[in-house]
Amino acid sequence: QAVVTQEPSLTVSPGGTVTLTCGSTTGAVTSGHYPYWFQQRPGQAPRTLIYDTSYKQSWTPARFSGSLLGGKAALTLSGAQPEDEAEYYCMLSYSGAHVLFGGGTKLTVL
Amino acid sequence: QLQLQESGPGLVKPSETLSLTCTVSGGSISSTSYYWGWIRQPPGKGLEYIGNIYYSGSTSYNPSLKSRVTISVDTSKNQFSLKLSSVTAADTAVYYCAHRAYWGQGTLVTVSS
């Protein structure tokens, strides 16, 4: 079975830019994996930031964007705010409607 | 806007079957070609995809849970359900139902005697 990979932790300075990535052990991530990105703050349910690679929800701050980068899905945060400190999960869909989550990236704004 | 709400017992005994229901409002469970899913998160750990179902009844399960999981849909009630059999303490988690970008708030299920 495939494994979805994410950086365990990243740090960004307030106002800075950081890119989180989401890879697959089966090969390059493509739009056909319909990548999702979720943000989860402590004690809260995950909320969807990005779906289908790059589409935003109505509540997604403009500073977040999704893309494909170097064979991976990517979530870029431009102009980090203290409230962006959270755990970020990506999710990929495989054939047969099989879905996998990455292990999560703990983002620190410091 | 679509809303999902999980419901079910918060405490299940070891070896018994965990049963949860997700009630959908703000839209029809039959009106979409996208699947309806269950996800769980053990305390302090990451997200784990349990499985999903289309309104037609077609299902897909996490291979690691497949032997114990059943997901069903009741279009007349606009609900879909999860059953997980032979539970152990390792199945203690917050269980979420979800559809595309929309998630329920989650419900904590503890497995304990």
Side-chain angles (χ1 to χ4, degrees), chain A residues 82-99:
Chain A
E83 61 265 29
D84 299 328
E85 187 161 295
E87 192 85 21
Y88 292 83
Y89 294 93
C90 71
M91 184 182 84
L92 301 178
S93 297
Y94 294 83
S95 62
H98 291 292
V99 178

Side-chain angles (χ1 to χ4, degrees), chain A residues 38-93:
Chain A
F38 305 94
Q39 178 192 63
Q40 186 177 35
R41 297 188 175 113
Q44 296 185 13
R47 69 166 184 164
T48 306
L49 293 177
I50 300 289
Y51 67 98
D52 293 353
T53 304
S54 59
Y55 293 89
K56 298 181 184 183
Q57 287 298 116
S58 58
W59 54 76
T60 304
R63 59 185 179 274
F64 288 95
S65 63
S67 65
L68 295 176
L69 195 65
K72 295 182 178 183
L75 176 70
T76 299
L77 170 58
S78 303
Q81 301 296 311
E83 61 265 29
D84 299 328
E85 187 161 295
E87 192 85 21
Y88 292 83
Y89 294 93
C90 71
M91 184 182 84
L92 301 178
S93 297

Side-chain angles (χ1 to χ4, degrees), chain A residues 8 12 17-18 20 29 37 51 63-64 69 96 98:
Chain A
V12 62
T17 296
V18 64
L20 289 66
V29 175
W37 289 95
Y51 67 98
R63 59 185 179 274
F64 288 95
L69 195 65
H98 291 292

